[in-house]
Amino acid sequence: MSQTPRLTDRQALIRNRHRALNTPGRDPALFLHETALDEVQDRLLMVNRTFTDVAIVTPFAQVWRSVFPQARIVADDDMLDLGEAAHDLVIHALGLHWADDPVGQLIQSRRALRPDGLFLGLTFGGQTLHELRAALGQAEAEVSGGMAPRVAPMGEIRDLGALLQRAGLNLPVADGVPLKASYQSPLHLMHELRAMGEVNALDARLRHPTQRAVLLRAMQIYVEEFGTDDGRIPATFEMITLTGWSPDESQPKPLRPGSAAQRLADALGTVEKPLKD
């Protein structure tokens, strides 16, 4: 039997997140999760529905508790601790990029929804940390002649939208926006990623520290290629929002081909002309 390829070392990921929350003298950097919370609140204001049974898949429950105190908070494990048809809203918050089987995560979320329940997923898109990835890749190629896996792969918006359909969700929508952060140096960005719990937890990662020469060259490339006039460096985080509804008979359905009651030319008030051979 074929098995899903293992992308993430779960123990390393859990260790990284625990370190982010519990390092003495340093607060966790959860501004992206707070941004995701703001995005969810804005989306829900546009939905003419009151949700009473909410589940939130997140590694950082404290971000969500103040706004959703009654929600069921579950970890983004391979098997989500969600009951079938137990919720009318499932939020999957910034964990899909570490999932070995992202479609499986969406299917489990859909099964946890009642008919006409709403799924809201927030995940990182393919432009996330493109500056850091480019600098590290070039530096490693120059110094050691190869490239090691360092940043979790992140899907493009079109591919992520298609996952909603594969998971059996109706009325799928995927949209995203790049968020720009600014740092004093690449080293400050790397410290921030550690405080986010977002350092390398890939199963195929190197198990020894990165060579100092690689890091120094990567920082140099980062500044040369992406540095701004004020001496700082930018970092892109592309946040994509995925929206879909659990199937229900009340939802609008596309018309069958050939069932239109009016010609398009009539609706537009134009004269229909046949194409020349």
Side-chain angles (χ1 to χ4, degrees):
M1 293 178 60
S2 62
Q3 295 182 340
T4 302
R6 185 175 177 184
L7 169 72
T8 301
D9 180 343
R10 294 295 302 181
Q11 292 304 312
L13 180 61
I14 292 169
R15 183 172 60 249
N16 293 342
R17 290 170 172 176
H18 183 269
R19 185 187 295 123
L21 291 174
N22 297 283
T23 298
R26 185 185 69 192
D27 294 329
L30 301 180
F31 70 93
L32 290 172
H33 292 266
E34 292 162 356
T35 300
L37 173 60
D38 292 341
E39 181 68 21
V40 165
Q41 290 179 279
D42 290 344
R43 300 284 175 140
L44 293 180
L45 286 175
M46 296 186 289
V47 179
N48 187 23
R49 181 84 63 86
T50 298
F51 297 99
T52 57
D53 295 301
V54 181
I56 304 174
V57 182
T58 174
F60 299 112
Q62 64 272 34
V63 174
W64 299 84
R65 281 293 185 200
S66 61
V67 177
F68 298 95
Q70 304 302 319
R72 177 174 177 79
I73 306 288
V74 303
D76 58 335
D77 296 327
D78 292 337
M79 297 298 297
L80 301 179
D81 187 17
L82 296 173
E84 187 170 353
H87 302 282
D88 53 9
L89 171 63
V90 172
I91 300 166
H92 202 301
L94 297 184
L96 280 177
H97 61 296
W98 288 118
D100 288 344
D101 182 12
V103 177
Q105 293 280 301
L106 299 186
I107 291 173
Q108 292 180 73
S109 299
R110 191 256 300 163
R111 288 176 177 169
L113 287 168
R114 297 174 189 141
D116 206 31
L118 176 61
F119 171 81
L120 274 175
L122 299 108
T123 188
F124 294 120
Q127 291 302 304
T128 298
L129 296 177
H130 71 86
E131 305 95 342
L132 179 61
R133 284 184 286 168
L136 281 171
Q138 182 177 336
E140 196 159 29
E142 291 180 6
V143 175
S144 61
M147 292 176 61
R150 296 189 179 278
V151 180
M154 301 170 199
E156 300 299 330
I157 187 168
R158 180 179 298 180
D159 299 327
L160 291 168
L163 297 186
L164 293 168
Q165 293 179 305
R166 288 181 59 189
L169 289 158
N170 285 352
L171 309 175
V173 177
D175 58 85
V177 60
L179 306 173
K180 290 286 188 178
S182 174
Y183 294 92
Q184 183 176 337
S185 71
L187 187 60
H188 286 81
L189 167 59
M190 294 177 192
H191 285 311
E192 182 93 316
L193 293 173
R194 181 174 293 272
M196 295 179 189
E198 290 290 342
V199 291
N200 195 347
L202 294 172
D203 189 60
R205 72 190 186 282
L206 296 176
R207 293 306 205 266
H208 57 75
T210 300
Q211 296 179 56
R212 178 180 175 83
V214 171
L215 288 176
L216 291 175
R217 179 58 180 142
M219 289 189 285
Q220 181 184 12
I221 293 170
Y222 204 129
V223 172
E224 291 174 351
E225 296 294 328
F226 304 105
T228 57
D229 292 339
D230 59 1
R232 298 177 67 84
I233 57 103
T236 301
F237 299 93
E238 184 185 22
M239 188 173 295
I240 293 177
T241 303
L242 306 173
T243 306
W245 294 84
S246 180
D248 185 71
E249 286 299 319
S250 66
Q251 294 166 351
K253 298 176 178 60
L255 294 174
R256 290 180 290 102
S259 63
Q262 186 178 13
R263 293 164 61 244
L264 179 60
D266 294 338
L268 297 176
T270 63
V271 178
E272 184 177 4
K273 298 180 179 179
L275 294 173
K276 296 181 180 180
D277 294 335

